[in-house]
């Protein structure tokens, strides 16, 4: 991934599929960010805890310059209820066997635009429409797939849907879905499938819970697909049938979707760094003095100090994330982290239900790190990403402690409030860059600089803490542990 692409990313956030819609958003993000905008992937994909993320579907998409050739086609979108909370969304075409004709080898590339933007929102980039004064991962994320060639008989099944509607958005047929969530914080809990036959496309709107249904409808009604003037191979783009298979977790074209949270096993680490020990990483993303993207092997780092606190007094107020604005009580002390124990519904006739809650004392973990340019050339825009990993040491190695995997007699999984740094990604980082992101503006040859990052964790987990410092910005999954660059910061 290029440096300028990484600059547009925030630390990642997790999501849900079937039971919780954000996992599906994350799967689409991992799929599309690793291959391009809705393009096919020829490697094994790993769905870890996320994100951050961000979260974030591609908007630059291929489209049919051949639409005029196929103008006689009459596509429709339909919605069928298959239980109290399960629906099937289908695309049909007016042919005898519901089969479309073959696609051309190349089609015109386009981007999504809308004539309506909700008040307080702006385009963060061509992929996201977000509220300006918040760092929460809500708003809109856009994606698209080809209607495709071949059989359209199979529909897309969504579960845990508490509200659905088939309607017309402006000139386009579409389906609106709202998913059930047990959390009150921002989720991508709404979705619109928008049929755009003029460009042989289905456009997907992932919509945050911070957007009202009325505003979502207005955005969808104003959507147009605009040609960029470039062409793209249709073989590189996903179609509706592939999209369905990916959502269902099925195998497609020999590619297996692997859910890393379901993997078992441990990582056998040959060396774990300690506080104060210099770490020479394989490579650090940066730019040279001429502004060229490089991977420097000359940048070292070390963890100087770990501090614990019961409040946010260690933090620079201007970098405190929105999700932490209400984590303290009237005296300024951190509120307890609240765990909701959830019994899983089948998503068809029953929904996920909170059976009980429990509070756990919270701690702020504040890390001070030093980065040093050991090379002979000056560097700028140096990227860093530090992840908090909770690990249990076993007889054979180390195993990730996964809250999502916890279950009991009366519950199937745990949901936590927004303060807990559950996904391990950076939520607070003292910036050294004018754009407020996780980059060091400049580092001359031989120069060192200090960076601060922080997490909110359960006090019970202070003895499980390790920092993963490779800087990749990816989630630490079971198969990654053996190759991870870890620092023991247990307290």
């Amino acid at each position: 991934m290029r440096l300028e692409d990484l600059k547009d990313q925030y630390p990642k956030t997790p999501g849900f599929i079937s039971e919780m819609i954000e996992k599906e958003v994350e799967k689409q993000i991992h799929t599309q960010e690793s291959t391009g905008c809705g393009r096919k992937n020829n490697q094994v994909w790993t769905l870890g805890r996320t994100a951050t993320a961000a979260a974030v579907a591609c908007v630059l998409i291929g489209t049919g310059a051949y639409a005029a050739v196929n103008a006689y086609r009459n596509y429709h979108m339909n919605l069928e209820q298959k239980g109290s909370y399960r629906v099937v969304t289908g695309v049909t075409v007016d042919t005898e066997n519901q089969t479309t004709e073959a696609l051309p080898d190349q089609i015109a590339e386009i981007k999504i635009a809308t004539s309506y933007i909700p008040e307080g929102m702006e385009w963060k980039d061509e992929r996201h429409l977000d509220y300006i004064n918040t760092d929460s991962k809500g708003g809109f994320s856009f994606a698209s797939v080809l209607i495709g060639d071949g059989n359209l008989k199979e529909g897309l099944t969504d579960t845990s849907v508490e509200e659905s509607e088939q309607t017309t958005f402006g000139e386009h047929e579409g389906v609106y879905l709202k998913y059930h969530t047990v959390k009150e914080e921002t989720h991508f809990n709404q979705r619109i499938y928008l049929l755009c036959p003029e460009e042989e496309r289905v456009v997907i709107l992932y919509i945050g819970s911070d957007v009202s249904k009325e505003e979502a409808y207005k955005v969808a009604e104003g959507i147009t697909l605009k040609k960029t003037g470039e062409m793209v191979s249709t073989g590189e783009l996903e179609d509706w049938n592939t999209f369905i298979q990916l959502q269902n977790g099925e195998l497609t074209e020999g590619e297996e979707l692997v859910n890393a949270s379901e993997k078992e096993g441990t990582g056998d680490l040959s060396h774990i760094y300690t506080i104060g020990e210099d770490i020479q990483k394989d490579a650090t993303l940066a730019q040279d003095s001429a502004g060229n993207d490089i991977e420097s092997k000359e940048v070292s780092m070390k963890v100087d100090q770990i501090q614990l606190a019961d409040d946010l007094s260690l933090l620079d107020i201007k970098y405190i994330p929105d999700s932490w604005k209400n984590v303290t009580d009237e005296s300024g002390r951190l509120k307890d982290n609240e765990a909701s124990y959830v019994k899983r519904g089948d998503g068809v006739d029953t929904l996920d239900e909170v059976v009980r809650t429990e509070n756990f004392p919270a701690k702020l973990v504040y890390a001070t790190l030093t980065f040093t340019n050991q090379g002979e050339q000056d560097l700028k825009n140096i990227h860093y990403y530090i992840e908090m990993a909770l690990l249990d040491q076993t007889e054979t190695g180390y195993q990730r402690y996964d809250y999502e995997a916890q279950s009991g007699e009366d519950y199937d999984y745990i949901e936590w409030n927004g303060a807990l740094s559950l996904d391990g990604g950076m939520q607070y980082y003292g910036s050294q860059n004018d754009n407020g992101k996780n980059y060091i503006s400049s580092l001359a040859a031989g120069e060192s600089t200090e960076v601060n990052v922080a997490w909110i964790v359960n006090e019970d987990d202070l003895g499980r803490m390790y920092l993963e410092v490779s800087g990749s910005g990816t989630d630490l999954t079971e198969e990654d542990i053996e190759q991870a660059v870890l620092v023991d910061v247990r307290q």
Side-chain angles (χ1 to χ4, degrees), residues 64 68 105 259 296 471:
D105 293 335
N259 188 334
S296 174

Side-chain angles (χ1 to χ4, degrees), residues 221-397:
E221 289 167 357
I223 281 181
T224 56
L225 307 183
K226 297 186 176 181
K227 295 180 175 64
T228 66
E230 302 293 328
M231 300 296 289
V232 63
S233 169
T234 55
E236 297 180 9
L237 303 176
E238 290 176 8
D239 61 20
W240 176 248
N241 286 336
T242 302
F243 179 70
I244 292 172
Q245 290 176 308
L246 292 175
Q247 291 223 36
N248 292 340
E250 299 171 0
L251 302 183
T252 172
E253 298 182 13
E255 302 161 3
E256 182 176 2
L257 297 178
V258 179
N259 188 334
S261 66
E262 296 176 356
K263 281 185 159 296
E264 297 181 355
T266 60
D268 183 14
L269 292 158
S270 58
H271 180 71
I272 293 181
Y273 292 90
T274 59
I275 295 174
E277 187 176 2
D278 283 325
I279 303 168
Q280 194 73 39
K281 299 187 298 178
D282 288 342
T284 298
L285 294 170
Q287 290 180 332
D288 60 21
S289 57
N292 300 312
D293 297 345
I294 61 173
E295 290 187 352
S296 174
K297 295 186 177 181
E298 307 299 332
V299 177
S300 66
M301 67 154 292
K302 65 178 177 177
V303 178
D304 295 307
Q305 185 182 24
I306 297 293
Q307 299 179 70
L308 304 180
D310 296 318
D311 54 30
L312 303 181
S313 59
L314 294 172
L315 308 183
D316 188 325
I317 190 170
K318 63 177 175 290
Y319 299 130
I320 296 177
D322 287 348
S323 60
W324 288 8
K325 295 293 174 65
N326 298 311
V327 300
T328 56
D329 59 22
E330 294 180 355
S331 67
R333 289 179 61 87
L334 287 173
K335 298 176 184 177
D336 289 347
N337 291 323
E338 183 182 83
S340 296
Y341 295 84
V342 184
K343 189 69 175 177
R344 196 186 307 278
D346 60 16
V348 179
D349 295 309
T350 58
L351 295 173
D352 292 7
E353 179 183 5
V354 177
V355 295
R356 60 186 172 91
T357 61
E358 186 177 0
N359 291 333
F360 292 82
K363 286 288 186 180
L364 179 81
V365 180
Y366 185 80
T368 302
L369 308 96
T370 296
F371 285 82
T372 302
N373 182 358
Q374 307 280 6
E376 297 181 355
Q377 65 172 329
D378 297 345
L379 300 175
K380 59 183 181 179
N381 291 325
I382 302 160
H383 173 260
Y384 66 91
Y385 188 94
I386 313 298
E387 183 174 354
M388 172 70 73
L390 300 180
L391 302 178
D392 282 328
Q393 190 167 3
T394 69
E395 293 181 357
T396 57

Side-chain angles (χ1 to χ4, degrees), residues 125-303:
D125 50 37
E126 290 182 323
R127 308 172 183 181
H128 308 88
L129 190 59
D130 291 345
Y131 286 105
I132 301 171
N133 298 316
T134 179
D135 59 8
S136 64
K137 304 303 180 183
F140 293 85
S141 291
F142 299 89
S144 176
V145 295
L146 290 167
I147 293 176
D149 52 10
N151 197 312
L152 290 176
K153 289 182 180 180
E154 184 178 5
L156 173 62
T157 299
D158 283 287
T159 57
S160 298
V161 177
E162 62 182 22
E163 183 181 352
S164 61
E165 182 179 15
Q166 179 180 347
T167 187
T168 300
F169 300 90
E171 299 180 353
H172 299 115
E173 295 181 17
V175 165
Y176 167 83
L177 305 178
K178 182 179 180 180
Y179 300 83
H180 173 72
T181 62
V182 297
K183 279 179 151 183
E184 295 181 357
E185 63 196 51
T186 301
H187 289 281
F188 282 89
N189 70 331
Q190 303 173 87
R191 191 181 298 187
I192 290 176
Y193 301 117
L194 197 65
L195 184 64
C196 300
E198 74 279 8
E199 301 294 352
E200 297 277 344
R201 278 293 180 281
V202 176
V203 173
I204 304 115
L205 285 71
Y206 300 102
I207 307 161
S209 56
D210 54 350
V211 179
S212 70
K213 177 181 176 181
E214 291 72 24
E215 292 285 68
Y217 272 44
K218 289 178 182 179
V219 170
E221 289 167 357
I223 281 181
T224 56
L225 307 183
K226 297 186 176 181
K227 295 180 175 64
T228 66
E230 302 293 328
M231 300 296 289
V232 63
S233 169
T234 55
E236 297 180 9
L237 303 176
E238 290 176 8
D239 61 20
W240 176 248
N241 286 336
T242 302
F243 179 70
I244 292 172
Q245 290 176 308
L246 292 175
Q247 291 223 36
N248 292 340
E250 299 171 0
L251 302 183
T252 172
E253 298 182 13
E255 302 161 3
E256 182 176 2
L257 297 178
V258 179
N259 188 334
S261 66
E262 296 176 356
K263 281 185 159 296
E264 297 181 355
T266 60
D268 183 14
L269 292 158
S270 58
H271 180 71
I272 293 181
Y273 292 90
T274 59
I275 295 174
E277 187 176 2
D278 283 325
I279 303 168
Q280 194 73 39
K281 299 187 298 178
D282 288 342
T284 298
L285 294 170
Q287 290 180 332
D288 60 21
S289 57
N292 300 312
D293 297 345
I294 61 173
E295 290 187 352
S296 174
K297 295 186 177 181
E298 307 299 332
V299 177
S300 66
M301 67 154 292
K302 65 178 177 177
V303 178

Side-chain angles (χ1 to χ4, degrees), residues 410-421:
D410 64 334
Y411 70 97
D412 295 312
Y413 65 93
I414 304 174
E415 286 285 357
W416 294 86
N417 63 12
L420 186 67
S421 302

